[in-house]
Amino acid sequence: MFSTAGNTETTKTTSWKVVLPFYGYAAIAFLIATILLLLSASDITSHYFLPHTLAITHIMALGWCTMMILGASHQLVPVLIEGKLYSNKLAYASFTLAAIGIPLLIYGFYFFDMGLYTQCGGILIILAIITYLINLAISMAKSKQENVHAFFIFTAALWLLATAIVGLLVLCNFTEPLLPKDSLDYLPLHAHIGIVGWFLLLVMGVGSRLIPMFLISKYSNMQLLWWIYGLINAGLLAFVFIFLYAASKFLFSIPLLAVAASIVLFANFCLKSYRQRIRKKVDEQMKVSLLSVLMMMLPLIILVIIIALLILSPKENVNLIITYGFIIFFGWITAIILGMTFKTLPFIVWNKVYHRLAGKGKTPNPKDLFSNRIFKWMSVFYILGFVLFTTGILLHSAIVLQIASTLLLLTSLLYNWNVIKLLMHKPASYDECNYK
Amino acid sequence: MMNVITNNTIQCTVALAGLQNIMDPEIGLNIVDLGLIYQLDFDESEKKIYCSMTLTTQFCPMGESITNAVQENLKLSFPEYEPVIELIFDPPWNHEMISAEGRKYLNEQ
């Protein structure tokens, strides 16, 4: 029954060396995005298809949100699939390809140069996603367990690949006509398979595992999670079909209803997990993450209004579309990341620095490795900045947008402060730890 | 603490009291009241301490640190014995394994 050395090897988690570069990269990307937002705040309401707006959107979507999710995913995949990550080398390759590809793409968008370098950026990002998918697929194949969370992650990564391929086609279509319509016409397809297929599906897959786990909830409902999974994917497939082959805008209500139903069901899942929690105290990081679940409803409401207005009149409401995009990237997804960074990163850093000291002496708590006071201020600036910026877009007010983007820049500075504090953390007595 | 299977020696009681100093860093509850220790036996003839334990989730990022801490804690408390740790996931950990004291603590937190 017992092994002499202990059989703890089978539960080894992903190395911090794989994960931390993603976290660091994402933090810098968030800072750059908020600097560019401040610089472009006054003209952001002109149109959503402007070089600076495109650049900011892609820094947020790829540099901030996707890099952070990929990093956290490499750490969490073993927990979610109940098996080891197949290859650290593939994870490094995925990081390197994306880390080079993203700036090339952003540079192209910012200066509206859709030429070779920008296209190379797009290709590198696709290669990064394929590398990630291979790593994920082999990890899942080697795992003995099959669970709904693993399906969420893998399918989300497939949708990310589809998003990137459509994005590259749209990009190349500017210089060489590859698609039957203008590039601009394909933006809703590119955006929605990315937002719903990649971000929503992945957040739900990971959230449905982590939220009950962190709350120590008695609630569990795998059947409901399969329903959510089915609704989102059916909705997305219907959306792609309607977008490519149907002319009626009214038909878009079908995928919208499917995705709306999945969000309501997921919110209900989180609410029941919260109500049936054993651990009564909910920390600040979980509060921000739970807030992001509520924030999923906001873009949905705006999308309903956008579609309703499009059915009534063919002229699109640019302000609402910009608000919709802002709420998704700076609202919903950013709120999750701001909360979840400080639920995961302190533990990764703690493991890096103290795991060999465990049981040998007093070590600090992972929660003490960053400043909770800075975290609280970051949350205050973030909520104020987010609400004000949304108001600024809707009111077309340059001064409100300037104030709000300054608050969001402060948010990213405080976020980076805490991330740097964590990444640079060293034990009181350096010699006691073996970093190798 | 009441759920741990032991061979009812005084050493087991002392060992479990020592293991109560190891906290799950995320939950903030000690691993004994959390229900991570399944079985603890002292083998006098072999001079070994057999500890059968689990984690709240397999591939828990803190798993290695927690098992290292158990190993070191038992070594410190009983230097003449060799601790042998076995991680098992059948049955898997669930919230019902938290002791009454642990539940009370989490409720009051």
Side-chain angles (χ1 to χ4, degrees), chain A residues 1-3 6-8 10 79 82-83 209 214 216 218 278-281 343 347 350-351 355 358 367, chain B residues 25-27 50 57 59 61-62 64-65 67-69 72 76 84-87 89 95 103 106-107 109:
Chain A
M1 184 178 174
F2 293 95
S3 59
N7 61 347
T8 56
T10 51
V79 178
E82 296 177 25
R209 178 79 176 93
F214 285 139
I216 317 178
K218 296 173 199 168
I278 291 176
R279 185 189 198 178
K280 293 299 169 207
K281 190 186 174 189
K343 283 301 277 183
F347 290 89
W350 193 94
N351 259 333
H355 81 280
K367 287 172 189 165
Chain B
E26 160 54 25
I27 298 169
Y50 291 106
T57 176
F59 296 94
M62 302 300 281
E64 201 184 351
S65 298
T67 51
N68 279 351
E72 291 302 325
L76 274 175
V84 181
I85 315 294
E86 188 193 40
L87 265 182
F89 295 95
H95 62 86
R103 278 171 190 276
L106 290 171
N107 259 309
Q109 271 282 294

Side-chain angles (χ1 to χ4, degrees), chain A residues 162-223:
Chain A
T163 307
I165 290 170
V166 173
L168 184 64
L169 285 174
V170 168
L171 185 67
C172 294
N173 199 45
F174 278 104
T175 48
E176 197 73 35
L178 297 171
L179 301 167
K181 292 183 200 169
D182 284 345
S183 289
L184 200 60
D185 291 328
Y186 293 93
L187 284 189
L189 179 71
H190 171 62
H192 284 97
I193 56 174
I195 292 165
V196 179
W198 168 233
F199 291 118
L200 186 65
L201 202 57
L202 191 122
V203 163
M204 284 181 172
V206 175
S208 59
R209 178 79 176 93
L210 293 191
I211 290 172
M213 195 173 93
F214 285 139
L215 293 171
I216 317 178
S217 178
K218 296 173 199 168
Y219 183 68
S220 168
N221 191 340
M222 289 301 133
Q223 202 182 1

